[in-house]
Amino acid sequence: MAVNLEKSWLSVLKEEFEKDYMINLKSFLVKEKENGYTVYPKGADIFNALNQTPFDQVKVVILGQDPYHNVGQAHGLSFSVQKGMVVPPSLKNIYKELAEDIPGYQTPSHGNLTQWADQGVLLLNATLTVRAHEAGSHQGKGWEIFTDKVITELSEKQEGIIFLFWGKYAQNKASIIDEKKHTVMKAAHPSPFSAHNGFFGCKHFSKVNAVLEQEGKTKVNWQII
């Protein structure tokens, strides 16, 4: 796993790559491939969330669990799939909530959320890799330690970030956040199994922009083209 990390993130995370858990994680990923398993996303996209949204430009964090595990989907951004792929059910529900929340929002024809990442929305998964067709297969291997460190660094060294935690798994990370410095918004997960339990109607997207406007920051244009 060659680490090609955006320089502002590398400055706060470089020591992590020398720690035992990360060395063990690298060995695990190498063995996965040696044993004939396909791992998603491809190596160059593992740290895509960090590379796409520099440390000092993060305004919003949307935390997912682990990457999509089917061919051609995952590209390192939570809830996002590459263009040309069918929009997954959770993202369809995100678009549905956006259409209700943001006046004039048009449902996109694809599921690539890079345009959000480019505006300071860190689309971070708690686990950054997965074995093909086996959801959750790389959980508990060390990624969670790394991504908790990402969240901790943001909480400690930045101010005014808005964290969107959808579902219990993400909400368990709220304890890492200094809520005196940052805003935490919680809702049900947008999965079809839970979206009706509080994701629909949460209005997180307009609420994010209201907070950003209040802080004198540029609002997120949620419209994907």
Side-chain angles (χ1 to χ4, degrees), residues 170-216:
Q171 289 167 17
N172 287 336
K173 304 292 185 183
S175 60
I176 304 174
I177 310 301
D178 182 351
E179 294 192 45
K180 294 177 182 177
K181 295 168 59 181
H182 306 283
T183 300
V184 174
M185 298 184 189
K186 300 177 183 179
H189 195 277
S191 160
F193 299 108
S194 56
H196 290 281
N197 294 330
F199 179 77
F200 290 139
C202 71
K203 298 189 180 297
H204 276 184
F205 304 100
S206 60
K207 288 177 180 176
V208 163
N209 279 345
V211 173
L212 291 173
E213 191 171 36
Q214 195 173 17
E215 294 179 349

mmCIF file of all heavy atoms in Angstrom, residues 170-216:
data_model
loop_
_atom_site.group_PDB
_atom_site.id
_atom_site.type_symbol
_atom_site.label_atom_id
_atom_site.label_comp_id
_atom_site.label_asym_id
_atom_site.label_seq_id
_atom_site.Cartn_x
_atom_site.Cartn_y
_atom_site.Cartn_z
ATOM 1 N N ALA A 170 -22.156 5.402 13.140
ATOM 2 C CA ALA A 170 -21.514 6.712 13.016
ATOM 3 C C ALA A 170 -21.672 7.525 14.297
ATOM 4 O O ALA A 170 -20.748 8.212 14.736
ATOM 5 C CB ALA A 170 -22.097 7.466 11.822
ATOM 6 N N GLN A 171 -22.845 7.440 14.895
ATOM 7 C CA GLN A 171 -23.118 8.250 16.089
ATOM 8 C C GLN A 171 -22.221 7.882 17.261
ATOM 9 O O GLN A 171 -21.954 8.713 18.138
ATOM 10 C CB GLN A 171 -24.594 8.126 16.466
ATOM 11 C CG GLN A 171 -25.518 8.836 15.486
ATOM 12 C CD GLN A 171 -26.977 8.476 15.661
ATOM 13 O OE1 GLN A 171 -27.379 7.935 16.691
ATOM 14 N NE2 GLN A 171 -27.783 8.761 14.648
ATOM 15 N N ASN A 172 -21.724 6.653 17.270
ATOM 16 C CA ASN A 172 -20.794 6.251 18.324
ATOM 17 C C ASN A 172 -19.488 7.031 18.274
ATOM 18 O O ASN A 172 -18.743 7.068 19.259
ATOM 19 C CB ASN A 172 -20.501 4.748 18.232
ATOM 20 C CG ASN A 172 -21.668 3.895 18.686
ATOM 21 O OD1 ASN A 172 -22.514 4.348 19.453
ATOM 22 N ND2 ASN A 172 -21.730 2.661 18.212
ATOM 23 N N LYS A 173 -19.218 7.657 17.134
ATOM 24 C CA LYS A 173 -17.990 8.456 16.992
ATOM 25 C C LYS A 173 -18.146 9.858 17.605
ATOM 26 O O LYS A 173 -17.165 10.586 17.727
ATOM 27 C CB LYS A 173 -17.612 8.602 15.517
ATOM 28 C CG LYS A 173 -17.440 7.292 14.765
ATOM 29 C CD LYS A 173 -16.236 6.509 15.224
ATOM 30 C CE LYS A 173 -16.027 5.276 14.358
ATOM 31 N NZ LYS A 173 -14.904 4.446 14.813
ATOM 32 N N ALA A 174 -19.362 10.225 17.970
ATOM 33 C CA ALA A 174 -19.599 11.583 18.468
ATOM 34 C C ALA A 174 -18.795 11.887 19.720
ATOM 35 O O ALA A 174 -18.450 13.047 19.985
ATOM 36 C CB ALA A 174 -21.089 11.786 18.731
ATOM 37 N N SER A 175 -18.466 10.842 20.480
ATOM 38 C CA SER A 175 -17.717 11.062 21.721
ATOM 39 C C SER A 175 -16.313 11.609 21.466
ATOM 40 O O SER A 175 -15.684 12.179 22.360
ATOM 41 C CB SER A 175 -17.616 9.755 22.514
ATOM 42 O OG SER A 175 -16.942 8.760 21.758
ATOM 43 N N ILE A 176 -15.826 11.448 20.231
ATOM 44 C CA ILE A 176 -14.494 11.952 19.871
ATOM 45 C C ILE A 176 -14.516 13.462 19.666
ATOM 46 O O ILE A 176 -13.498 14.132 19.792
ATOM 47 C CB ILE A 176 -13.988 11.265 18.580
ATOM 48 C CG1 ILE A 176 -13.983 9.744 18.739
ATOM 49 C CG2 ILE A 176 -12.598 11.747 18.190
ATOM 50 C CD1 ILE A 176 -13.634 8.995 17.452
ATOM 51 N N ILE A 177 -15.689 14.009 19.371
ATOM 52 C CA ILE A 177 -15.804 15.407 18.930
ATOM 53 C C ILE A 177 -15.932 16.360 20.114
ATOM 54 O O ILE A 177 -16.700 16.107 21.041
ATOM 55 C CB ILE A 177 -17.032 15.574 18.000
ATOM 56 C CG1 ILE A 177 -17.042 14.526 16.897
ATOM 57 C CG2 ILE A 177 -17.077 16.989 17.419
ATOM 58 C CD1 ILE A 177 -15.844 14.522 16.015
ATOM 59 N N ASP A 178 -15.211 17.456 20.052
ATOM 60 C CA ASP A 178 -15.387 18.544 21.013
ATOM 61 C C ASP A 178 -16.557 19.400 20.536
ATOM 62 O O ASP A 178 -16.407 20.235 19.644
ATOM 63 C CB ASP A 178 -14.107 19.384 21.095
ATOM 64 C CG ASP A 178 -14.202 20.508 22.123
ATOM 65 O OD1 ASP A 178 -15.315 20.752 22.646
ATOM 66 O OD2 ASP A 178 -13.170 21.138 22.395
ATOM 67 N N GLU A 179 -17.727 19.192 21.136
ATOM 68 C CA GLU A 179 -18.936 19.877 20.669
ATOM 69 C C GLU A 179 -18.992 21.339 21.109
ATOM 70 O O GLU A 179 -19.917 22.057 20.726
ATOM 71 C CB GLU A 179 -20.181 19.105 21.112
ATOM 72 C CG GLU A 179 -20.284 17.740 20.439
ATOM 73 C CD GLU A 179 -21.628 17.066 20.610
ATOM 74 O OE1 GLU A 179 -22.665 17.755 20.441
ATOM 75 O OE2 GLU A 179 -21.654 15.855 20.916
ATOM 76 N N LYS A 180 -18.012 21.792 21.860
ATOM 77 C CA LYS A 180 -17.911 23.221 22.156
ATOM 78 C C LYS A 180 -17.322 23.974 20.960
ATOM 79 O O LYS A 180 -17.547 25.169 20.796
ATOM 80 C CB LYS A 180 -17.038 23.452 23.393
ATOM 81 C CG LYS A 180 -17.628 22.897 24.682
ATOM 82 C CD LYS A 180 -16.674 23.098 25.852
ATOM 83 C CE LYS A 180 -17.239 22.491 27.131
ATOM 84 N NZ LYS A 180 -16.279 22.606 28.267
ATOM 85 N N LYS A 181 -16.570 23.246 20.130
ATOM 86 C CA LYS A 181 -15.910 23.844 18.963
ATOM 87 C C LYS A 181 -16.601 23.503 17.649
ATOM 88 O O LYS A 181 -16.414 24.193 16.647
ATOM 89 C CB LYS A 181 -14.452 23.366 18.881
ATOM 90 C CG LYS A 181 -13.570 23.804 20.023
ATOM 91 C CD LYS A 181 -12.241 23.048 20.000
ATOM 92 C CE LYS A 181 -11.468 23.249 18.712
ATOM 93 N NZ LYS A 181 -10.190 22.490 18.691
ATOM 94 N N HIS A 182 -17.362 22.409 17.657
ATOM 95 C CA HIS A 182 -17.918 21.886 16.415
ATOM 96 C C HIS A 182 -19.409 21.589 16.568
ATOM 97 O O HIS A 182 -19.929 21.546 17.679
ATOM 98 C CB HIS A 182 -17.184 20.604 16.011
ATOM 99 C CG HIS A 182 -15.695 20.750 15.923
ATOM 100 N ND1 HIS A 182 -15.067 21.367 14.863
ATOM 101 C CD2 HIS A 182 -14.709 20.379 16.789
ATOM 102 C CE1 HIS A 182 -13.759 21.365 15.065
ATOM 103 N NE2 HIS A 182 -13.511 20.767 16.231
ATOM 104 N N THR A 183 -20.064 21.370 15.435
ATOM 105 C CA THR A 183 -21.490 21.020 15.417
ATOM 106 C C THR A 183 -21.647 19.559 15.034
ATOM 107 O O THR A 183 -21.065 19.112 14.043
ATOM 108 C CB THR A 183 -22.248 21.896 14.400
ATOM 109 O OG1 THR A 183 -22.107 23.267 14.763
ATOM 110 C CG2 THR A 183 -23.725 21.532 14.364
ATOM 111 N N VAL A 184 -22.427 18.822 15.818
ATOM 112 C CA VAL A 184 -22.728 17.424 15.507
ATOM 113 C C VAL A 184 -24.216 17.292 15.225
ATOM 114 O O VAL A 184 -25.046 17.700 16.034
ATOM 115 C CB VAL A 184 -22.326 16.481 16.666
ATOM 116 C CG1 VAL A 184 -22.784 15.053 16.371
ATOM 117 C CG2 VAL A 184 -20.820 16.513 16.893
ATOM 118 N N MET A 185 -24.554 16.761 14.057
ATOM 119 C CA MET A 185 -25.946 16.502 13.692
ATOM 120 C C MET A 185 -26.133 15.002 13.534
ATOM 121 O O MET A 185 -25.348 14.345 12.852
ATOM 122 C CB MET A 185 -26.312 17.214 12.388
ATOM 123 C CG MET A 185 -26.203 18.723 12.448
ATOM 124 S SD MET A 185 -26.765 19.499 10.887
ATOM 125 C CE MET A 185 -26.274 21.201 11.178
ATOM 126 N N LYS A 186 -27.165 14.457 14.156
ATOM 127 C CA LYS A 186 -27.419 13.020 14.132
ATOM 128 C C LYS A 186 -28.777 12.727 13.493
ATOM 129 O O LYS A 186 -29.724 13.499 13.664
ATOM 130 C CB LYS A 186 -27.390 12.443 15.544
ATOM 131 C CG LYS A 186 -26.060 12.623 16.273
ATOM 132 C CD LYS A 186 -26.146 12.084 17.697
ATOM 133 C CE LYS A 186 -24.862 12.317 18.469
ATOM 134 N NZ LYS A 186 -24.950 11.820 19.867
ATOM 135 N N ALA A 187 -28.838 11.616 12.788
ATOM 136 C CA ALA A 187 -30.104 11.145 12.203
ATOM 137 C C ALA A 187 -29.986 9.649 11.967
ATOM 138 O O ALA A 187 -28.898 9.065 12.101
ATOM 139 C CB ALA A 187 -30.412 11.867 10.891
ATOM 140 N N ALA A 188 -31.095 9.025 11.611
ATOM 141 C CA ALA A 188 -31.064 7.617 11.220
ATOM 142 C C ALA A 188 -30.222 7.458 9.953
ATOM 143 O O ALA A 188 -29.979 8.421 9.215
ATOM 144 C CB ALA A 188 -32.482 7.115 10.975
ATOM 145 N N HIS A 189 -29.786 6.244 9.704
ATOM 146 C CA HIS A 189 -29.022 5.953 8.489
ATOM 147 C C HIS A 189 -29.961 6.046 7.283
ATOM 148 O O HIS A 189 -31.140 5.678 7.373
ATOM 149 C CB HIS A 189 -28.421 4.552 8.584
ATOM 150 C CG HIS A 189 -27.361 4.288 7.579
ATOM 151 N ND1 HIS A 189 -27.649 3.895 6.285
ATOM 152 C CD2 HIS A 189 -26.010 4.361 7.655
ATOM 153 C CE1 HIS A 189 -26.516 3.748 5.613
ATOM 154 N NE2 HIS A 189 -25.500 4.018 6.423
ATOM 155 N N PRO A 190 -29.445 6.511 6.128
ATOM 156 C CA PRO A 190 -30.303 6.624 4.937
ATOM 157 C C PRO A 190 -30.626 5.302 4.253
ATOM 158 O O PRO A 190 -31.324 5.296 3.228
ATOM 159 C CB PRO A 190 -29.484 7.530 4.004
ATOM 160 C CG PRO A 190 -28.079 7.390 4.458
ATOM 161 C CD PRO A 190 -28.139 7.168 5.936
ATOM 162 N N SER A 191 -30.167 4.202 4.788
ATOM 163 C CA SER A 191 -30.517 2.887 4.247
ATOM 164 C C SER A 191 -32.030 2.719 4.182
ATOM 165 O O SER A 191 -32.762 3.232 5.030
ATOM 166 C CB SER A 191 -29.929 1.791 5.141
ATOM 167 O OG SER A 191 -30.595 0.568 4.951
ATOM 168 N N PRO A 192 -32.539 1.983 3.173
ATOM 169 C CA PRO A 192 -33.983 1.714 3.105
ATOM 170 C C PRO A 192 -34.544 1.075 4.371
ATOM 171 O O PRO A 192 -35.731 1.185 4.664
ATOM 172 C CB PRO A 192 -34.098 0.757 1.911
ATOM 173 C CG PRO A 192 -32.904 1.042 1.072
ATOM 174 C CD PRO A 192 -31.808 1.407 2.025
ATOM 175 N N PHE A 193 -33.686 0.408 5.147
ATOM 176 C CA PHE A 193 -34.138 -0.255 6.374
ATOM 177 C C PHE A 193 -34.415 0.733 7.510
ATOM 178 O O PHE A 193 -35.105 0.403 8.462
ATOM 179 C CB PHE A 193 -33.100 -1.281 6.849
ATOM 180 C CG PHE A 193 -32.842 -2.380 5.844
ATOM 181 C CD1 PHE A 193 -31.649 -2.419 5.137
ATOM 182 C CD2 PHE A 193 -33.792 -3.359 5.600
ATOM 183 C CE1 PHE A 193 -31.403 -3.420 4.211
ATOM 184 C CE2 PHE A 193 -33.564 -4.369 4.671
ATOM 185 C CZ PHE A 193 -32.372 -4.398 3.978
ATOM 186 N N SER A 194 -33.839 1.942 7.413
ATOM 187 C CA SER A 194 -33.943 2.869 8.546
ATOM 188 C C SER A 194 -34.270 4.314 8.185
ATOM 189 O O SER A 194 -34.542 5.115 9.075
ATOM 190 C CB SER A 194 -32.627 2.854 9.346
ATOM 191 O OG SER A 194 -31.521 3.159 8.501
ATOM 192 N N ALA A 195 -34.259 4.637 6.897
ATOM 193 C CA ALA A 195 -34.430 6.035 6.496
ATOM 194 C C ALA A 195 -35.725 6.647 7.025
ATOM 195 O O ALA A 195 -35.778 7.844 7.347
ATOM 196 C CB ALA A 195 -34.381 6.160 4.969
ATOM 197 N N HIS A 196 -36.773 5.823 7.147
ATOM 198 C CA HIS A 196 -38.068 6.333 7.611
ATOM 199 C C HIS A 196 -38.104 6.537 9.131
ATOM 200 O O HIS A 196 -39.093 7.033 9.662
ATOM 201 C CB HIS A 196 -39.196 5.383 7.177
ATOM 202 C CG HIS A 196 -39.444 5.406 5.701
ATOM 203 N ND1 HIS A 196 -40.168 6.407 5.061
ATOM 204 C CD2 HIS A 196 -39.042 4.564 4.724
ATOM 205 C CE1 HIS A 196 -40.210 6.159 3.766
ATOM 206 N NE2 HIS A 196 -39.544 5.054 3.524
ATOM 207 N N ASN A 197 -37.014 6.154 9.799
ATOM 208 C CA ASN A 197 -36.956 6.310 11.254
ATOM 209 C C ASN A 197 -36.296 7.615 11.685
ATOM 210 O O ASN A 197 -35.908 7.744 12.847
ATOM 211 C CB ASN A 197 -36.198 5.129 11.883
ATOM 212 C CG ASN A 197 -36.939 3.818 11.710
ATOM 213 O OD1 ASN A 197 -38.164 3.796 11.657
ATOM 214 N ND2 ASN A 197 -36.196 2.728 11.615
ATOM 215 N N GLY A 198 -36.167 8.555 10.756
ATOM 216 C CA GLY A 198 -35.621 9.845 11.151
ATOM 217 C C GLY A 198 -34.611 10.446 10.203
ATOM 218 O O GLY A 198 -34.178 11.587 10.396
ATOM 219 N N PHE A 199 -34.231 9.695 9.144
ATOM 220 C CA PHE A 199 -33.381 10.357 8.145
ATOM 221 C C PHE A 199 -34.226 11.270 7.269
ATOM 222 O O PHE A 199 -33.889 12.438 7.081
ATOM 223 C CB PHE A 199 -32.632 9.336 7.284
ATOM 224 C CG PHE A 199 -31.780 10.012 6.233
ATOM 225 C CD1 PHE A 199 -30.574 10.604 6.580
ATOM 226 C CD2 PHE A 199 -32.199 10.105 4.909
ATOM 227 C CE1 PHE A 199 -29.805 11.273 5.634
ATOM 228 C CE2 PHE A 199 -31.434 10.757 3.955
ATOM 229 C CZ PHE A 199 -30.234 11.343 4.326
ATOM 230 N N PHE A 200 -35.334 10.721 6.747
ATOM 231 C CA PHE A 200 -36.226 11.574 5.968
ATOM 232 C C PHE A 200 -36.803 12.646 6.881
ATOM 233 O O PHE A 200 -37.346 12.349 7.957
ATOM 234 C CB PHE A 200 -37.355 10.751 5.347
ATOM 235 C CG PHE A 200 -36.921 9.835 4.236
ATOM 236 C CD1 PHE A 200 -37.427 8.547 4.131
ATOM 237 C CD2 PHE A 200 -36.004 10.259 3.276
ATOM 238 C CE1 PHE A 200 -37.035 7.703 3.108
ATOM 239 C CE2 PHE A 200 -35.597 9.424 2.251
ATOM 240 C CZ PHE A 200 -36.114 8.148 2.173
ATOM 241 N N GLY A 201 -36.643 13.885 6.453
ATOM 242 C CA GLY A 201 -37.136 15.004 7.249
ATOM 243 C C GLY A 201 -36.105 15.611 8.180
ATOM 244 O O GLY A 201 -36.406 16.590 8.872
ATOM 245 N N CYS A 202 -34.891 15.056 8.209
ATOM 246 C CA CYS A 202 -33.867 15.608 9.122
ATOM 247 C C CYS A 202 -33.376 16.984 8.680
ATOM 248 O O CYS A 202 -32.884 17.758 9.497
ATOM 249 C CB CYS A 202 -32.690 14.642 9.265
ATOM 250 S SG CYS A 202 -31.627 14.480 7.803
ATOM 251 N N LYS A 203 -33.494 17.266 7.377
ATOM 252 C CA LYS A 203 -33.098 18.565 6.819
ATOM 253 C C LYS A 203 -31.651 18.941 7.143
ATOM 254 O O LYS A 203 -31.311 20.116 7.317
ATOM 255 C CB LYS A 203 -34.056 19.672 7.285
ATOM 256 C CG LYS A 203 -35.495 19.456 6.825
ATOM 257 C CD LYS A 203 -36.366 20.674 7.111
ATOM 258 C CE LYS A 203 -37.801 20.439 6.646
ATOM 259 N NZ LYS A 203 -37.890 20.244 5.178
ATOM 260 N N HIS A 204 -30.783 17.949 7.203
ATOM 261 C CA HIS A 204 -29.388 18.218 7.533
ATOM 262 C C HIS A 204 -28.700 19.119 6.513
ATOM 263 O O HIS A 204 -27.821 19.901 6.870
ATOM 264 C CB HIS A 204 -28.613 16.903 7.655
ATOM 265 C CG HIS A 204 -28.736 16.267 8.998
ATOM 266 N ND1 HIS A 204 -28.070 15.124 9.355
ATOM 267 C CD2 HIS A 204 -29.453 16.629 10.099
ATOM 268 C CE1 HIS A 204 -28.373 14.797 10.604
ATOM 269 N NE2 HIS A 204 -29.220 15.682 11.061
ATOM 270 N N PHE A 205 -29.095 19.022 5.276
ATOM 271 C CA PHE A 205 -28.372 19.750 4.230
ATOM 272 C C PHE A 205 -28.629 21.256 4.319
ATOM 273 O O PHE A 205 -27.697 22.061 4.215
ATOM 274 C CB PHE A 205 -28.740 19.179 2.862
ATOM 275 C CG PHE A 205 -28.482 17.703 2.780
ATOM 276 C CD1 PHE A 205 -29.523 16.790 2.919
ATOM 277 C CD2 PHE A 205 -27.193 17.215 2.612
ATOM 278 C CE1 PHE A 205 -29.286 15.427 2.887
ATOM 279 C CE2 PHE A 205 -26.942 15.848 2.578
ATOM 280 C CZ PHE A 205 -27.999 14.947 2.720
ATOM 281 N N SER A 206 -29.877 21.635 4.544
ATOM 282 C CA SER A 206 -30.170 23.059 4.735
ATOM 283 C C SER A 206 -29.642 23.550 6.078
ATOM 284 O O SER A 206 -29.191 24.689 6.200
ATOM 285 C CB SER A 206 -31.681 23.322 4.630
ATOM 286 O OG SER A 206 -32.404 22.599 5.613
ATOM 287 N N LYS A 207 -29.662 22.682 7.083
ATOM 288 C CA LYS A 207 -29.130 23.057 8.402
ATOM 289 C C LYS A 207 -27.618 23.297 8.338
ATOM 290 O O LYS A 207 -27.103 24.218 8.973
ATOM 291 C CB LYS A 207 -29.455 21.977 9.432
ATOM 292 C CG LYS A 207 -30.928 21.927 9.825
ATOM 293 C CD LYS A 207 -31.207 20.781 10.794
ATOM 294 C CE LYS A 207 -32.677 20.737 11.192
ATOM 295 N NZ LYS A 207 -32.973 19.557 12.071
ATOM 296 N N VAL A 208 -26.921 22.457 7.580
ATOM 297 C CA VAL A 208 -25.481 22.661 7.378
ATOM 298 C C VAL A 208 -25.220 24.036 6.789
ATOM 299 O O VAL A 208 -24.362 24.796 7.268
ATOM 300 C CB VAL A 208 -24.894 21.562 6.459
ATOM 301 C CG1 VAL A 208 -23.534 21.985 5.907
ATOM 302 C CG2 VAL A 208 -24.762 20.254 7.215
ATOM 303 N N ASN A 209 -25.958 24.377 5.745
ATOM 304 C CA ASN A 209 -25.729 25.666 5.097
ATOM 305 C C ASN A 209 -26.105 26.838 5.986
ATOM 306 O O ASN A 209 -25.474 27.896 5.926
ATOM 307 C CB ASN A 209 -26.482 25.724 3.765
ATOM 308 C CG ASN A 209 -25.720 25.016 2.649
ATOM 309 O OD1 ASN A 209 -24.527 24.739 2.795
ATOM 310 N ND2 ASN A 209 -26.390 24.726 1.553
ATOM 311 N N ALA A 210 -27.103 26.654 6.840
ATOM 312 C CA ALA A 210 -27.466 27.718 7.785
ATOM 313 C C ALA A 210 -26.330 27.968 8.769
ATOM 314 O O ALA A 210 -25.999 29.124 9.083
ATOM 315 C CB ALA A 210 -28.746 27.339 8.531
ATOM 316 N N VAL A 211 -25.706 26.879 9.253
ATOM 317 C CA VAL A 211 -24.575 27.022 10.178
ATOM 318 C C VAL A 211 -23.384 27.658 9.469
ATOM 319 O O VAL A 211 -22.733 28.561 10.013
ATOM 320 C CB VAL A 211 -24.181 25.653 10.773
ATOM 321 C CG1 VAL A 211 -22.895 25.767 11.595
ATOM 322 C CG2 VAL A 211 -25.302 25.104 11.652
ATOM 323 N N LEU A 212 -23.079 27.203 8.274
ATOM 324 C CA LEU A 212 -21.963 27.765 7.508
ATOM 325 C C LEU A 212 -22.168 29.257 7.258
ATOM 326 O O LEU A 212 -21.234 30.061 7.406
ATOM 327 C CB LEU A 212 -21.788 27.024 6.182
ATOM 328 C CG LEU A 212 -21.289 25.582 6.273
ATOM 329 C CD1 LEU A 212 -21.327 24.918 4.901
ATOM 330 C CD2 LEU A 212 -19.875 25.524 6.854
ATOM 331 N N GLU A 213 -23.377 29.622 6.886
ATOM 332 C CA GLU A 213 -23.686 31.031 6.633
ATOM 333 C C GLU A 213 -23.518 31.852 7.914
ATOM 334 O O GLU A 213 -22.964 32.960 7.885
ATOM 335 C CB GLU A 213 -25.106 31.154 6.100
ATOM 336 C CG GLU A 213 -25.447 32.538 5.563
ATOM 337 C CD GLU A 213 -26.785 32.561 4.835
ATOM 338 O OE1 GLU A 213 -27.721 31.845 5.262
ATOM 339 O OE2 GLU A 213 -26.882 33.274 3.823
ATOM 340 N N GLN A 214 -23.957 31.284 9.028
ATOM 341 C CA GLN A 214 -23.839 31.961 10.318
ATOM 342 C C GLN A 214 -22.368 32.195 10.688
ATOM 343 O O GLN A 214 -22.020 33.198 11.318
ATOM 344 C CB GLN A 214 -24.517 31.106 11.397
ATOM 345 C CG GLN A 214 -24.782 31.825 12.705
ATOM 346 C CD GLN A 214 -25.618 30.960 13.647
ATOM 347 O OE1 GLN A 214 -25.724 29.751 13.465
ATOM 348 N NE2 GLN A 214 -26.216 31.576 14.641
ATOM 349 N N GLU A 215 -21.514 31.264 10.271
ATOM 350 C CA GLU A 215 -20.089 31.363 10.576
ATOM 351 C C GLU A 215 -19.317 32.145 9.519
ATOM 352 O O GLU A 215 -18.092 32.258 9.596
ATOM 353 C CB GLU A 215 -19.492 29.958 10.711
ATOM 354 C CG GLU A 215 -20.039 29.184 11.912
ATOM 355 C CD GLU A 215 -19.464 27.786 12.011
ATOM 356 O OE1 GLU A 215 -18.801 27.341 11.049
ATOM 357 O OE2 GLU A 215 -19.681 27.144 13.052
ATOM 358 N N GLY A 216 -20.036 32.671 8.529
ATOM 359 C CA GLY A 216 -19.386 33.455 7.488
ATOM 360 C C GLY A 216 -18.634 32.627 6.471
ATOM 361 O O GLY A 216 -17.746 33.132 5.774
#
